[in-house]
Amino acid sequence: MSYRFSLGGQTWAFADLKDLLAKATPRRSGDMLAGIAAGSALEQAAAQNCLADVPLRTFLVQSVIPYEEDDVTRLIVDGHDEVAFAPVAHLCVGDFRDWLLSDEATGPALAALAAGLTPEMVAATAKIMRNQDLIQVAKKVEVVTRFRNTVGLRGTMAVRIQPNHPTDDPRGILASTLEGLCYGCGDAVIGVNPASDAPAAVAAIVRLLDELIERYHIPTQSCVLTHATTAIGLIENGVPLDLVFQSVAGTEAANASFGVTLALLKEAHEAGRSLQRGTVGQNVMYFETGQGSALSADAHHGVDQQTCEARAYAVCRAFSPFLVNTVVGFIGPEYLYDGKQIVRAGLEDHFCGKLMGLPIGCDVCYTNHAEADQNDMDVLLTLLGAAGVNFVMGVPGADDVMLNYQSTSFHDQLYLRDLLGLKRAPEFAAWLADTGITDAGGRLFAPGGPHPFLQDMRALLA
Amino acid sequence: MSGVDRPATTGVTPDAWRPRADVTPARLGLGRAGSGQPTRAVLDFALDHARARDAVLAAPDEAALAASLAPLELDSVTVESAAPDRATYLRRPDFGRRLSRNARTLLAARPRQPCDVLLIVADGLSAAAVMAQAPRVLAALVPQLQDRGMTLGPLIIARQARVALGDEIGSIMGARLVVMLVGERPGLSAADSLGAYLTFGPKPGLTDAGRNCVSNIRDAGLTPEAAATTLFWLIERSMALGISGITLKDESPTGFCSSSNAIANSPALET
């Protein structure tokens, strides 16, 4: 079904819902690369106007990728909760935006609505929202998950320590991890991207982090970001895995390019839960996503990258994840060209994830061939802090020496805590205070305390 | 990482340790100024980012490159991809994977002289890598190929090029095998890292599954000379078996080759 919008004697036509969504999307290089972006600013504005009049119910009857062709579409359609949807079922996209901004849309109301929203509804709404709207609405939603601590409580922000090393040297990984802990990071996860995907190498890192967490009774969890099939194999072999990682995307074909199916994710989820390693909860999955992944796998079906990304969240939410991380600037300038596009995408992803009920965090990041720098990251980090992001990355000096890109540093999260008064996961905050890394209020002490952890750390890092 | 020595500043809370530099290249032990990074750390970072940005945006100095390649005594041909400038190149990888109309005409007009190995030097994402490493790799590799009696096509210098551009060039030139040396996406710690991609039976439309890659070629990684050794081993195997890519396993003495799976997982290698 085609869509039309008349503007000053000119009629703009959009072939179908996915064409309308793509043309209404704020400008970004990936949609231009795919050849689906609006051809002019006026066409984009016309598409936004047209999209605002589309009833939310339309998204339940018109799929951007056919039901028969794509298991993510089937997951979305079959999993839709009509009862949860009822309060907004009569609204069109534009009215839904107004409602989201209104006092009626409280945190509990939005939480109850999540299962009634499809990714396409949420993505469409994001396309007619300004950055401040994306921040304001996301801020209302509290998504709390639990494993060995509690992440996502209002007024808190967690941090993943990302202690990557170019050759997986355990001393190097440990050095970055210990420094991260001493900067009060690590409540989201201690998560290593391994240089080698060999199961034995992955297992060695898992054991290293497990020993560290056990030895000092740190209320946190580890993850080695290896393929789900590898994780399943390690679990079968008794390796003490905490969180199970997988990159996911918003179409069946893009997931196939990652070597995953929904059935495999289900198997990985069950394998992770079987270990019962969480102490305060059993959210065991750690997913990563990012706009552009479907296009880069030539698996986007002509759907814009922001909508594809929101569809990836439908995949995530089927497995009650502990963390979902949009790695927003990692993919490069052919998808998000500059700081402005990266900032926008980060806010969109966070908004969409939160509305869909996900514990979403963000790797605020860029590569050296993008038109971006640390100043752009400061902007996005600050905005996401204001929007109530569940977690961000802590990379030594913001420089990932294994993946060769820049993220946010141990210092950056301190800045945000100082600026916005954000606390850590409560169990982890208590441990930091007990250990003498922070005072009771969460402020870092200058290192030098008597706790054995700090003495060991100095010995290890000497 | 760069180090401009400055005296310690006041206002900085030092970290209580100095991690050994041989343990990790990560930026540890920076200390802090309040919750921020100390001036020195911020400026060091900016310096490294500036190097990386310049490496991405600069064009290789072609006169200097030609001079350093001259001892090889190979004919050379310069071509450009369909990406007319750097900004387009960065936005449109598809343009970087095919020749400009002029370049296609230029290559097609040459007398067709099939060769065993076609060597291509491509700017990719780091001009600095091409300038620093490519002449050394070729100086070590070319004599080995010639000694083994392999015929070499002219040396191709490719501008605004992605790896797959080698498929079209190799196909037009009638090469059995293409080796493309291409600047990798710069990281902060290394702005001059080169990658080498080997493709047997080049033709447009191949995917990365059909290539072998030797990456991180630089003095602090895999030295250009060691890379040439690995490449020579791979080229011999590839020519003998008539394959490249995931079916050509890395059993080389140095073991530095990767096939498509590793390519897909390696963000610095933008194909």
Side-chain angles (χ1 to χ4, degrees):
Chain A
M1 186 191 133
S2 71
Y3 293 82
R4 287 172 185 283
F5 189 77
S6 294
L7 198 68
Q10 187 175 6
T11 298
W12 297 88
F14 305 97
D16 52 21
L17 195 54
K18 72 179 176 187
D19 184 41
L20 179 62
L21 286 166
K23 299 248 164 69
T25 306
R27 190 175 178 82
R28 68 204 57 195
S29 50
D31 292 337
M32 295 164 76
L33 176 64
I36 57 176
S40 69
L42 196 56
E43 186 180 21
Q44 190 208 321
Q48 285 178 311
N49 276 277
C50 187
L51 183 59
D53 293 338
V54 174
L56 290 181
R57 195 165 277 291
T58 302
F59 295 93
L60 296 176
V61 290
Q62 293 178 32
S63 295
V64 293
I65 302 173
Y67 184 91
E68 299 73 24
E69 285 175 29
D70 187 277
D71 64 3
V72 178
T73 299
R74 293 196 287 279
L75 182 70
I76 293 164
V77 173
D78 297 347
H80 182 253
D81 184 336
E82 189 67 35
V83 175
F85 180 56
V88 298
H90 60 293
L91 298 178
C92 61
V93 171
D95 294 338
F96 183 51
R97 173 189 168 279
D98 289 336
W99 181 82
L100 287 171
L101 288 164
S102 75
D103 290 345
E104 257 180 71
T106 60
L110 292 175
L113 181 62
L117 297 178
T118 67
E120 291 84 358
M121 291 176 196
V122 174
T125 310
K127 291 175 195 304
I128 62 161
M129 294 176 89
R130 282 175 38 198
N131 287 0
Q132 66 164 258
D133 306 338
L134 298 171
I135 294 167
Q136 178 90 316
V137 176
K139 174 83 175 180
K140 299 182 184 190
V141 185
E142 183 184 43
V143 180
V144 178
T145 54
R146 294 178 176 87
F147 190 75
R148 268 189 216 109
N149 59 22
T150 308
V151 166
L153 293 168
R154 188 167 299 286
T156 71
M157 179 190 71
V159 176
R160 166 189 168 189
I161 295 177
Q162 184 169 311
N164 296 343
H165 186 279
T167 59
D168 294 340
D169 183 330
R171 295 171 311 159
I173 290 171
L174 204 55
S176 293
T177 302
L178 293 174
E179 180 164 317
L181 291 168
C182 288
Y183 271 78
C185 300
D187 44 355
V189 63
I190 302 169
V192 180
N193 298 86
S196 165
D197 251 341
V202 172
I205 304 172
V206 172
R207 290 204 168 90
L208 175 77
L209 297 178
D210 181 52
E211 282 168 24
L212 177 75
I213 289 170
E214 283 279 309
R215 180 166 177 184
Y216 297 106
H217 309 290
I218 310 172
T220 190
Q221 38 284 323
S222 72
C223 185
V224 179
L225 282 68
T226 190
H227 196 272
T229 50
T230 307
I232 292 168
L234 293 176
I235 290 169
E236 284 167 357
N237 285 303
V239 176
L241 221 82
D242 288 345
L243 303 184
V244 177
F245 169 79
Q246 185 55 49
S247 289
V248 294
T251 72
E252 180 176 350
N255 284 323
S257 82
F258 288 149
V260 298
T261 60
L262 297 178
L264 173 70
L265 293 174
K266 183 164 184 282
E267 188 187 343
H269 184 217
E270 284 167 2
R273 286 179 63 94
S274 74
L275 295 178
Q276 296 285 315
R277 289 175 59 81
T279 51
V280 298
Q282 285 298 327
N283 299 113
V284 299
M285 299 302 291
Y286 174 16
F287 290 117
E288 285 192 353
T289 65
Q291 290 191 26
S293 59
L295 175 59
S296 77
D298 195 20
H300 62 297
H301 299 264
V303 177
D304 71 88
Q305 67 184 34
Q306 192 239 331
T307 301
C308 284
E309 173 71 5
R311 286 169 56 94
Y313 303 156
V315 175
C316 297
R317 84 173 159 184
F319 303 101
S320 311
F322 183 64
L323 306 166
V324 176
N325 180 15
T326 173
V327 189
V328 70
F330 188 72
I331 193 160
E334 59 267 47
Y335 303 94
L336 294 168
Y337 186 67
D338 56 15
K340 179 172 174 145
Q341 294 184 6
I342 293 170
V343 167
R344 172 76 197 177
L347 295 178
E348 289 167 346
D349 293 353
H350 179 251
F351 163 83
C352 290
K354 281 284 165 72
L355 269 201
M356 292 178 64
L358 290 178
I360 191 157
C362 184
D363 188 346
V364 173
C365 66
Y366 64 105
T367 59
N368 284 318
H369 60 324
E371 280 292 330
D373 61 22
Q374 225 59 29
N375 293 317
D376 299 302
M377 301 305 105
D378 291 344
V379 171
L380 180 55
L381 180 70
T382 307
L383 297 180
L384 284 171
V389 71
N390 274 39
F391 65 99
V392 297
M393 304 305 111
V395 179
D399 171 13
D400 189 309
V401 294
M402 202 284 278
L403 294 172
N404 277 327
Y405 77 115
Q406 286 85 253
S407 179
T408 48
S409 67
F410 301 151
H411 300 74
D412 291 334
Q413 58 86 35
L414 272 188
Y415 144 77
L416 207 56
R417 292 188 194 289
D418 258 9
L419 185 76
L420 301 174
L422 297 171
K423 304 294 184 195
R424 303 176 179 89
E427 301 87 347
F428 188 78
W431 177 83
L432 288 173
D434 285 351
T435 307
I437 293 174
T438 68
D439 65 19
R443 285 194 76 82
L444 289 191
F445 282 125
H451 192 276
F453 171 78
L454 295 174
Q455 285 166 12
D456 284 6
M457 187 201 66
R458 277 194 290 276
L460 280 163
L461 294 181
Chain B
M1 271 197 255
S2 56
V4 177
D5 283 332
R6 292 189 192 87
T9 41
T10 55
V12 173
T13 306
D15 297 325
W17 60 89
R18 270 197 86 78
R20 280 165 39 190
D22 62 337
V23 166
T24 175
R27 290 171 198 253
L28 296 178
L30 303 177
R32 58 190 170 90
S35 57
Q37 291 184 15
T39 300
R40 176 172 175 160
V42 170
L43 295 181
D44 279 351
F45 184 102
L47 201 57
D48 290 336
H49 187 238
R51 284 197 187 97
R53 289 297 291 158
D54 282 355
V56 168
L57 295 174
D61 178 341
E62 292 190 6
L65 186 62
S68 55
L69 294 172
L72 298 173
E73 299 185 338
L74 295 173
D75 284 348
S76 80
V77 182
T78 300
V79 298
E80 67 285 327
S81 78
D85 53 50
R86 207 61 179 159
T88 311
Y89 172 80
L90 291 173
R91 281 191 184 88
R92 295 297 302 263
D94 51 335
F95 288 0
R97 295 186 189 115
R98 58 175 200 263
L99 288 167
S100 72
R101 190 172 304 185
N102 282 346
R104 195 174 299 131
T105 307
L106 175 78
L107 291 184
R110 292 177 59 91
R112 193 174 161 85
Q113 286 177 314
C115 58
D116 291 325
V117 178
L118 187 72
L119 300 166
I120 304 176
V121 175
D123 50 4
L125 287 167
S126 171
V130 170
M131 299 300 294
Q133 322 302 351
R136 284 173 59 190
V137 172
L138 293 176
L141 178 62
V142 167
Q144 294 186 69
L145 298 175
Q146 288 169 333
D147 286 351
R148 198 52 59 103
M150 294 184 194
T151 56
L152 301 184
L155 181 61
I156 308 286
I157 311 294
R159 298 174 185 149
Q160 314 290 13
R162 302 261 172 182
V163 171
L165 187 68
D167 297 342
E168 184 178 5
I169 298 173
S171 162
I172 294 174
M173 300 293 286
R176 289 183 69 200
L177 181 151
V178 161
V179 174
M180 187 161 204
L181 306 181
V182 56
E184 292 179 351
R185 192 188 79 207
L188 286 201
S189 50
D192 60 352
S193 183
L194 190 77
Y197 289 80
L198 180 155
T199 311
F200 187 87
K203 58 172 190 285
L206 287 180
T207 68
D208 290 339
R211 312 183 202 289
N212 296 85
C213 171
V214 178
S215 69
N216 196 25
I217 302 171
R218 57 192 176 99
D219 276 326
L222 180 64
T223 66
E225 291 71 26
T229 303
T230 302
L231 279 170
F232 180 66
W233 185 91
L234 279 170
I235 291 167
E236 281 209 299
R237 294 282 288 185
S238 177
M239 298 285 269
L241 300 172
I243 53 171
S244 62
I246 49 174
T247 47
L248 179 64
K249 296 294 180 203
D250 175 23
E251 294 150 356
S252 72
T254 49
F256 275 108
C257 145
S258 54
S259 59
S260 69
N261 233 0
I263 294 174
N265 290 331
S266 175
L269 306 177
E270 311 267 334
T271 57

